[in-house]
Amino acid sequence: MNLEITGRIYDIQGFSVHDGPGIRTSVFLSGCPLSCLWCHNPEAIPFQYVLSYTSIKCIGIEKCGSCMSVCNFGAIKKSKLSNSQLLEDKITHVEIDRTKCTNCLKCTTVCKAKALIPSGQDMKLGEIMNKLMKDKAYFNGSGGGLTVSGGEALSQIEFTVELLKAAKSENIHTCLDTTGFASWEDLKKTLPYVDLYLYDLKHMDSNKHKEFTGVPNEKILSNATKLAKEGAKIQFRFPIIPGINDSVDNLRMTGEFIKEIEYAVELLQILPYHRLGLPKYDRLGKINILKDLDSPSDADMEKHKNFLEAYFPNIQIH
Amino acid sequence: MFKFAPVSPRINTLMEKRLAANKGRTILDAERTQIYTEYYKVHESEPIMLKRAHCLYEWCSRKTILVEDEDIFVGQIGRTYRSLNSFVEWDATWLYEATHDDDTSFKKAWQGSDSFAYMSDSDREIFREASEYWLDKSLSARYVESIPPILQKFQGNGCSDFFARKPNLGGVPQGHYCPNFQKIISIGFGGIKKEIQNKMDDLQGKIYGKDAYKFLFYQSADIVCDAAILFSKRYAEECNKQAQNHTDPVRKAELKRMANSLNWIMENPARTAWEALQTVILYQIMLIADGQQHGLSQGRIDQYAGWFAEEELSAGTLTLEELQDYSDAFYLKLNDNLIQVRMSSNDMLSKMYSGKGYSYNSGGHHFTLGGVKKDGSDASNALTRCMLNTTGRMFLADPSVDIRIHKNTPSDVWELAIESSKACGGVPSFENDDLIIPMLVKRGRSLEDARDYCIIGCVEPSGSGNEWSASGGPGSEVFFNLLGPVIMAIHNGKNPLTGFDGGLKTGYLYDYVTFEDFKSAFEAQLKYFLDWQITGGNCFELMYSQYFPAIVASTTMDNCVETGKDALQGGCKYNSTGLTGCGIGNVADSLMAIKKLCFDDKIVTTRELYDALIANWEGYEDLHQQITFDIPHYGNDIDEVDQLGVWAMKLANDHVSAATNPRGGNWAFGTFTMTVHVDYGSKTDATPDGRKRGEALAEAISSRQGFDRSGVISYLNTVTKLPQNILGNGDQMNLRFSPSCVSGKEGVEKLRHLISTYFDEGGMEVQFNVVDTQTLYKAQENPDDYRNLIVRIAGFSVYFVEMPKVLQDDFISRTEHMAIS
């Protein structure tokens, strides 16, 4: 086991309760070949770290302003006077001009308030394992463990396999949260070390899939079938995005697909689209084109669940 | 989704009537003050112990008796429901001021629409007269002359709040213990009278040594027994009277049954769950009338009353529905009746409770459910479950409830407790039997007594009916600011905010050559001020015991009758005194900042850091940000800093635990802060952890607000490094989750595993609020829409919108543990 191997890590989250069974620690890897319109972790999409700015943390140019002076591209400008969440008085924040910013991240090295930070950091496998071992007591008993997520973890296949392998050697339950968009050769490498795949099904129509996520779905679907045949356990995750993938046709095709490999499927989770990722788009200076889209109602989710139950019995609204 | 069943129509009516009593106003009632003052005036020279017993007897025989048609249980503290007492013998200053105000101000303060309690014109006259009598005779008035003069020099030291209360005690009576309800339920006051008679027979004509004191004690206790029996019979009489003319045959029969029971209980052993619960209510009211009510706990109510219920249920003489109604009605009785008034114009605690000078609150009245029996097997029964149901569905801020958790706690009890806690903001809180019981055994309890522990006051584990565990002796919380000694070590024994200059001359921050030098100075200051705190507590207790022997409690407490000694004289089987440290998170972070900045990494000199503190970080923004972000903080599972917290806490614990109290017991150290961390913060200068002058301290065993950045598990890993299993006075861990985090059956399971793993890892107590920040902000903006939003602060819960803004903000700033994928 190579504890020195380095991964590009977007975030590590303890007491992660939405990514697999029990109490888990999720390791989010940076970089994803997809760019789903509804992505709630947009910071984890780029393979290079980008500049992330949380304006409420900024202590204002009156007291600091060092980012403006180090920026070689004139991308950091004075913003309007605003209230600080951390300080009593009104202060002037900065503003990032994303058309000029090259993500050189120089400003992150001088921002003492940590309002400007890189969207991730390189971490050694050993560091991550130390953290996991500290959390281990909370995994046992609850049926929890490690979830490797992203971004798309398979994009850092070597690191992902090492991480999963290390966790298994410590008897930690493992989940791999994946889009399935990878070569079968790569995905296959994870087979011995993954207890449960958390596998996204976003759209059954490949053209639509490409339209909304940037990539077609053939590889994703065939990988899922192969995993099933290899004896893997799968939990499918189907995000319901109103107007995009909640048509009767798409629900039916999704149901039929799952039915075919139901022997391998532990659970189908349907996830209502939520707007929790929106502040993150602000941090990146990106506009989320679904900004005005509402979450599906409880009644809609219930309806979808009932519909899908005709194909597969074990469905959970998450 | 889990839903608590709604209350029965009868309980619904009861609830509506109680909450609407007196047009929804709480009445400040003068009846008790009148009866007690009259008695004191006529019997000035009577020995105090007899006088207290006689006062109670007078009150029990004269007080207004009220039984209303929807009542399932009887008993009320004032002339009406929803009324408060005042305790002029403790403190009359505030009452004097209030009643001597000009008429316009008086009406505004006491009869206006937003008055905290209503005082009628006629009661005002009674209070006015009484307060004139008590102004120079109350305990507060005698406080200064009763304690050693040297203590008064410690005003403004910033470490100990004990001295902050001078000269006004704030009318906080005694408490912080669990009375012996079990004994009255088992043998009645009639049985105790027999024990007393035997003792007095032995002493007749043969009073040797200190027996004269004992004889006086027995005489007094005997009067208390008579008062109790009379009290119950007066309610019986009223029920009988109403039954005679009642037109509704069902209520008529019920009143007759109630009368029959009320004629029997208090004197004799209880026979049913109803009788046991009614016994608890009546004795509790007597204790309150006597003034012992602050942090008075009902203990293991599901044990005293629950096993009667089990027998009745299996015999078919009681239905589950009836038991559920009893449980609901019992809660309402506590909620309606047992609120105490805590008033003072300058009592820090009152201000913190309410944001005003005046307040009333539950005073930590609460009880403990579940846990193990004396033989170690699971203790839960039908009443445990009914009471958890009541907790989850009635949304009462008072009473507070604890659930004792052990290895074999049944799943349905877990589920009810968690769902209740989710529904109503952290009630019940969870206590770890598997840590607390061995700790109590180590502290000298028998295994059986340890297994029978309950939670008193806020979060303090104590004996049920056998321990005088009064926090700070007389039962006012004793809070110690652990960050105070850091200030002392930085400023050569001086508190720069108050000018107090009586600490040890250990030097200034810039005088220390090594980090170890600073640690030694902190250690010396810590021990020095802890000693003064203990000194104050012990002196105060002596003074207190002379004015207010706890005769009403001592009549039942284990060992008091056996030894003929009042609880305050060490009559109880076990005797402890609690002390609570605040701000351990700041201490760890401050030590870490000094170590890292000045000594390890040499980023600044001690002189520069000192100057930054003096400037309250003004002009030191870079340094401040560096401390905020680059220095490791307590609460993130980083050993280097966490261990500094462990070191400081062990120091404090060992020092306090070694100290003795006047009753032959030891002091016990713990850490819970209620809301004192905000007040202490406002009186504490800037500290090296980056805390600015006046900012709140970290609460209980928590990190600084918002500095637990590594998620809940890392946070819990930090606090389980603390030696929680030696904190005899209890501790408190607050967690706040967003609803999405713990929704559904799965969410409940995850919380359960989180709690049980925390307990396995060495946690003692945990309480959690499930509410998202958005909701809290909305509640701040539209308080009217969020009137019933309850949040847990420490040992008690409050309606969020009624908290002062500063506390609301503090609550919001605690990190929300929200895991979003």
Side-chain angles (χ1 to χ4, degrees):
Chain A
M1 204 181 315
N2 176 8
L3 291 173
E4 292 298 311
I5 186 174
T6 299
R8 297 177 80 77
I9 308 299
Y10 159 64
D11 195 11
I12 297 182
Q13 212 164 59
F15 194 59
S16 175
V17 292
H18 298 298
D19 299 313
I23 296 171
R24 313 192 71 83
T25 294
S26 293
V27 177
F28 296 90
L29 273 60
S30 262
C32 183
L34 279 67
S35 46
C36 308
L37 292 181
W38 53 84
C39 181
H40 56 237
N41 275 339
E43 291 168 310
I45 295 177
F47 287 91
Q48 296 302 316
Y49 300 131
V50 292
L51 177 60
S52 173
Y53 173 49
T54 311
S55 63
I56 54 160
K57 284 189 180 169
C58 174
I59 56 169
I61 59 165
E62 292 84 353
K63 288 193 170 159
C64 179
S66 34
C67 54
M68 292 169 73
S69 48
V70 299
C71 182
N72 297 334
F73 306 94
I76 304 181
K77 296 182 302 198
K78 194 165 117 177
S79 179
K80 50 188 180 305
L81 198 67
S82 59
N83 281 315
S84 159
Q85 189 169 311
L86 302 176
L87 303 165
E88 294 276 308
D89 32 312
K90 294 212 170 208
I91 53 164
T92 312
H93 285 155
V94 296
E95 203 172 274
I96 314 296
D97 182 345
R98 294 282 174 177
T99 59
K100 290 187 181 160
C101 175
T102 63
N103 290 313
C104 74
L105 303 178
K106 194 168 171 189
C107 54
T108 64
T109 60
V110 297
C111 179
K112 295 211 167 70
K114 301 280 188 273
L116 294 159
I117 53 167
S119 61
Q121 59 172 319
D122 291 354
M123 285 179 83
K124 285 184 179 155
L125 178 59
E127 285 176 74
I128 295 173
M129 284 311 293
N130 280 343
K131 163 106 186 98
L132 279 182
M133 293 311 287
K134 286 175 166 186
D135 295 357
K136 195 179 167 189
Y138 289 84
F139 304 153
N140 298 342
S142 73
L146 163 73
T147 296
V148 184
S149 185
E152 174 49 64
L154 296 173
S155 300
Q156 297 184 44
I157 184 65
E158 200 188 340
F159 181 77
T160 296
V161 169
E162 285 300 311
L163 174 55
L164 290 165
K165 199 194 283 183
K168 283 320 297 176
S169 75
E170 295 289 352
N171 285 320
I172 294 171
H173 181 274
T174 55
C175 286
L176 178 64
D177 184 3
T178 178
T179 65
F181 191 79
S183 71
W184 171 245
E185 287 65 40
D186 279 350
L187 184 56
K188 206 172 149 186
K189 289 180 197 156
T190 63
L191 262 171
Y193 314 112
V194 174
D195 293 311
L196 180 67
Y197 287 88
L198 310 177
Y199 205 102
D200 291 358
L201 291 176
K202 300 173 202 277
H203 211 299
M204 299 308 290
D205 179 320
S206 192
N207 290 329
K208 291 272 173 65
H209 198 281
K210 189 162 184 342
E211 185 185 340
F212 298 124
T213 72
V215 302
N217 71 6
E218 286 82 3
K219 197 152 59 174
I220 295 170
L221 298 180
S222 73
N223 275 342
T225 310
K226 283 178 190 157
L227 276 183
K229 284 186 182 147
E230 292 284 342
K233 286 182 184 161
I234 305 174
Q235 174 182 317
F236 281 114
R237 318 226 292 174
F238 178 13
I240 304 281
I241 322 293
I244 289 187
N245 64 5
D246 62 346
S247 70
V248 172
D249 262 2
N250 190 48
L251 288 171
R252 181 180 49 76
M253 288 190 289
T254 306
E256 284 169 357
F257 177 76
I258 293 169
K259 194 174 177 176
E260 247 171 64
I261 51 168
E262 65 181 349
Y263 55 89
V265 185
E266 303 249 298
L267 178 70
L268 166 61
Q269 279 185 333
I270 54 176
L271 304 90
Y273 164 75
H274 63 72
R275 297 154 59 106
L276 289 167
L278 288 181
K280 297 185 189 172
Y281 281 88
D282 288 344
R283 291 211 292 261
L284 291 168
K286 282 189 179 174
I287 298 165
N288 181 352
I289 59 166
L290 298 183
K291 204 153 106 184
D292 297 322
L293 190 67
D294 279 329
S295 302
S297 69
D298 289 352
D300 284 344
M301 290 305 290
E302 217 34 71
K303 206 177 76 191
H304 299 326
K305 177 172 182 256
N306 290 339
F307 182 90
L308 286 164
E309 268 165 358
Y311 303 91
F312 183 76
N314 193 11
I315 301 179
Q316 187 191 52
I317 301 173
H318 201 62
Chain B
M1 214 182 95
F2 187 95
K3 270 233 158 61
F4 286 99
V7 296
S8 70
R10 181 172 186 185
I11 293 295
N12 205 33
T13 313
L14 189 62
M15 226 170 144
E16 280 172 7
K17 289 222 172 177
R18 286 299 158 270
L19 297 177
N22 312 322
K23 297 176 191 151
R25 288 185 304 203
T26 303
I27 304 264
L28 184 58
D29 189 294
E31 188 176 56
R32 178 198 178 275
T33 293
Q34 187 169 28
I35 294 172
Y36 269 68
T37 306
E38 277 173 19
Y39 192 89
Y40 262 83
K41 278 183 178 171
V42 179
H43 301 87
E44 277 197 331
S45 58
E46 188 176 25
I48 186 67
M49 201 140 56
L50 271 175
K51 185 151 50 182
R52 297 300 296 169
H54 273 136
C55 274
L56 181 82
Y57 189 89
E58 276 291 298
W59 184 81
C60 285
S61 59
R62 286 171 59 189
K63 86 167 294 299
T64 306
I65 296 292
L66 186 66
V67 179
E68 290 196 346
D69 251 1
E70 53 287 333
D71 281 344
I72 290 174
F73 293 110
V74 299
Q76 93 285 0
I77 190 80
R79 282 167 296 192
T80 63
Y81 291 119
R82 289 215 80 76
S83 56
L84 301 168
N85 278 334
S86 77
F87 301 90
V88 276
E89 314 99 285
W90 274 269
D91 180 46
T93 328
W94 69 271
L95 206 50
Y96 183 89
E97 285 165 9
T99 53
H100 286 74
D101 228 344
D102 65 79
D103 286 357
T104 323
S105 313
F106 172 82
K107 279 202 185 324
K108 190 170 178 297
W110 298 96
Q111 298 179 352
S113 55
D114 61 345
S115 300
F116 105 99
Y118 178 83
M119 195 195 301
S120 70
D121 289 338
S122 54
D123 275 10
R124 179 189 181 185
E125 286 316 305
I126 298 170
F127 281 133
R128 193 209 301 261
E129 210 182 298
S131 65
E132 282 165 9
Y133 174 77
W134 284 108
L135 195 59
D136 62 351
K137 294 184 186 64
S138 73
L139 183 65
S140 279
R142 295 168 164 180
Y143 177 87
V144 174
E145 65 201 53
S146 303
I147 57 170
I150 189 157
L151 279 173
Q152 288 158 34
K153 290 189 190 158
F154 278 79
Q155 184 85 353
N157 68 71
C159 302
S160 147
D161 80 317
F162 177 74
F163 311 100
R165 294 196 190 158
K166 178 191 160 276
N168 190 330
L169 295 174
V172 181
Q174 68 195 57
H176 272 252
Y177 68 100
C178 174
N180 201 343
F181 294 111
Q182 182 66 62
K183 187 167 181 180
I184 320 163
I185 288 168
S186 325
I187 69 166
F189 280 98
I192 297 174
K193 261 182 91 71
K194 279 186 202 128
E195 288 179 5
I196 292 172
Q197 198 53 56
N198 289 339
K199 291 286 187 183
M200 285 170 82
D201 287 348
D202 290 348
L203 289 173
Q204 294 288 2
K206 203 184 176 190
I207 289 183
Y208 286 7
K210 289 181 175 175
D211 290 348
Y213 170 86
K214 285 189 189 175
F215 199 79
L216 196 63
F217 174 83
Y218 291 130
Q219 272 181 293
S220 312
D222 193 49
I223 295 165
V224 171
C225 294
D226 290 340
I229 294 164
L230 174 71
F231 191 43
S232 183
K233 288 193 191 300
R234 287 188 68 213
Y235 277 102
E237 199 184 315
E238 178 63 22
C239 287
N240 258 331
K241 202 173 94 192
Q242 290 189 17
Q244 272 167 19
N245 306 318
H246 214 288
T247 49
D248 175 5
V250 178
R251 179 62 178 168
K252 192 181 174 103
E254 189 178 38
L255 282 165
K256 278 189 177 161
R257 180 186 59 71
M258 285 163 72
N260 176 30
S261 282
L262 285 159
N263 253 325
W264 174 264
I265 57 166
M266 295 306 263
E267 183 167 8
N268 302 295
R271 299 164 297 192
T272 61
W274 186 93
E275 289 187 347
L277 291 169
Q278 180 65 73
T279 301
V280 170
I281 292 168
L282 289 180
Y283 186 39
Q284 176 97 2
I285 290 176
M286 288 167 56
L287 287 159
I288 291 171
D290 184 48
Q292 296 157 47
Q293 47 153 325
H294 174 64
L296 190 58
S297 301
Q298 288 83 18
R300 306 185 74 189
I301 190 76
D302 63 342
Q303 302 306 299
Y304 315 143
W307 299 107
F308 287 108
E310 287 285 344
E311 275 174 29
E312 292 172 80
L313 285 168
S314 51
T317 53
L318 179 76
T319 65
L320 259 182
E321 290 72 26
E322 285 169 325
L323 184 64
Q324 187 63 58
D325 275 2
Y326 289 173
S327 167
D328 292 355
F330 182 79
Y331 271 58
L332 278 172
K333 205 40 136 177
L334 299 190
N335 183 268
D336 177 82
N337 245 335
L338 305 187
I339 36 186
Q340 68 157 333
V341 62
R342 177 201 276 281
M343 294 195 186
S344 156
S345 40
N346 65 357
D347 175 11
M348 154 172 109
L349 284 169
S350 315
K351 281 186 194 151
M352 297 325 294
Y353 275 125
S354 73
K356 305 171 195 166
Y358 307 118
S359 75
Y360 55 87
N361 64 80
S362 71
H365 290 298
H366 67 211
F367 47 81
T368 308
L369 301 174
V372 295
K373 294 189 213 166
K374 286 185 179 177
D375 65 8
S377 62
D378 177 58
S380 64
N381 55 41
L383 189 57
T384 316
R385 291 162 175 85
C386 283
M387 289 191 152
L388 286 171
N389 259 320
T390 305
T391 313
R393 69 188 188 165
M394 286 185 87
F395 292 116
L396 300 171
D398 172 33
S400 281
V401 180
D402 297 287
I403 180 84
R404 282 176 43 178
I405 294 295
H406 60 100
K407 285 273 178 299
N408 300 315
T409 296
S411 309
D412 66 322
V413 170
W414 266 109
E415 188 185 21
L416 276 172
I418 290 176
E419 290 291 358
S420 164
S421 210
K422 277 167 65 178
C424 61
V427 190
S429 56
F430 297 77
E431 297 285 346
N432 182 5
D433 270 14
D434 299 321
L435 177 137
I436 292 172
I437 293 168
M439 174 180 82
L440 291 174
V441 169
K442 242 184 189 165
R443 288 185 60 84
R445 274 60 164 176
S446 72
L447 181 59
E448 283 204 339
D449 286 343
R451 283 173 172 162
D452 199 32
Y453 84 92
C454 66
I455 298 297
I456 58 152
C458 292
V459 294
E460 309 97 288
S462 174
S464 296
N466 55 24
E467 178 172 5
W468 194 258
S469 41
S471 193
S476 296
E477 296 92 338
V478 172
F479 292 105
F480 185 88
N481 180 1
L482 293 167
L483 202 48
V486 173
I487 300 269
M488 290 294 156
I490 291 170
H491 298 282
N492 194 26
K494 191 170 172 177
N495 181 350
L497 276 191
T498 61
F500 167 85
D501 197 10
L504 298 173
K505 299 294 159 203
T506 46
Y508 291 91
L509 180 56
Y510 48 77
D511 293 329
Y512 304 111
V513 180
T514 64
F515 178 57
E516 289 306 316
D517 290 349
F518 183 80
K519 274 174 84 182
S520 308
F522 167 76
E523 179 174 346
Q525 301 281 8
L526 177 74
K527 289 178 176 173
Y528 181 73
F529 281 98
L530 280 172
D531 275 341
W532 276 111
Q533 177 96 43
I534 290 160
T535 301
N538 285 344
C539 290
F540 189 46
E541 184 174 329
L542 173 70
M543 168 191 76
Y544 199 93
S545 64
Q546 290 166 349
Y547 286 108
F548 299 112
I551 187 65
V552 184
S554 305
T555 302
T556 64
M557 297 293 281
D558 274 358
N559 255 22
C560 287
V561 170
E562 286 83 338
T563 56
K565 252 198 242 174
D566 187 88
L568 279 169
Q569 303 293 337
C572 289
K573 188 171 178 185
Y574 302 112
N575 286 285
S576 55
T577 304
L579 185 150
T580 291
C582 311
I584 190 69
N586 301 91
V587 173
D589 283 3
S590 291
L591 291 171
M592 188 68 202
I594 294 171
K595 177 174 191 284
K596 201 93 178 139
L597 287 174
C598 305
F599 297 106
D600 289 358
D601 298 353
K602 297 194 168 53
I603 290 164
V604 290
T605 64
T606 46
R607 179 78 219 191
E608 283 164 319
L609 182 58
Y610 179 83
D611 290 343
L613 293 173
I614 292 289
N616 194 26
W617 303 105
E618 288 292 330
Y620 291 86
E621 205 50 57
D622 281 6
L623 184 58
H624 190 251
Q625 294 299 328
Q626 207 164 5
I627 290 171
T628 306
F629 292 105
D630 297 343
I631 303 287
H633 290 275
Y634 172 90
N636 297 285
D637 198 3
I638 300 167
D639 264 347
E640 192 178 6
V641 55
D642 292 347
Q643 289 304 335
L644 289 169
V646 171
W647 171 76
M649 182 161 278
K650 268 195 182 145
L651 265 185
N653 182 78
D654 294 350
H655 196 71
V656 171
S657 309
T660 50
N661 65 27
R663 286 165 279 114
N666 277 67
W667 282 68
F669 183 78
T671 176
F672 53 92
T673 49
M674 297 168 70
T675 54
V676 172
H677 60 291
V678 176
D679 187 71
Y680 257 145
S682 72
K683 295 172 182 165
T684 304
D685 200 30
T687 38
D689 54 346
R691 213 190 110 271
K692 292 184 179 169
R693 190 172 295 150
E695 269 177 30
L697 306 185
E699 57 162 6
I701 54 174
S702 307
S703 72
R704 284 183 69 199
Q705 288 80 347
F707 279 77
D708 53 321
R709 301 170 178 137
S710 311
V712 62
I713 293 176
S714 300
Y715 195 9
L716 294 178
N717 281 340
T718 287
V719 299
T720 46
K721 289 175 199 170
L722 298 174
Q724 296 195 36
N725 61 352
I726 56 172
L727 300 177
N729 201 33
D731 73 21
Q732 170 208 341
M733 179 68 189
N734 279 318
L735 294 176
R736 192 150 62 84
F737 294 104
S738 77
S740 66
C741 215
V742 290
S743 62
K745 227 181 155 54
E746 210 190 332
V748 169
E749 270 301 291
K750 286 176 183 179
L751 259 186
R752 173 184 165 172
H753 286 299
L754 187 77
I755 297 168
S756 58
T757 309
Y758 175 58
F759 284 177
D760 288 346
E761 296 293 296
M764 187 191 298
E765 189 263 11
V766 66
Q767 54 196 42
F768 54 88
N769 287 287
V770 178
V771 57
D772 59 4
T773 314
Q774 287 307 320
T775 310
L776 296 175
Y777 282 125
K778 278 186 203 156
Q780 277 190 322
E781 278 168 30
N782 310 304
D784 284 338
D785 299 343
Y786 293 89
R787 287 264 165 235
N788 67 348
L789 175 62
I790 298 172
V791 293
R792 183 145 186 138
I793 298 292
F796 65 100
S797 294
V798 292
Y799 291 106
F800 180 77
V801 297
E802 291 177 5
M803 292 201 297
K805 177 86 173 28
V806 53
L807 280 184
Q808 291 181 354
D809 291 344
D810 176 72
F811 187 80
I812 291 174
S813 75
R814 286 185 208 162
T815 305
E816 181 177 24
H817 287 287
M818 188 162 79
I820 305 163
S821 60

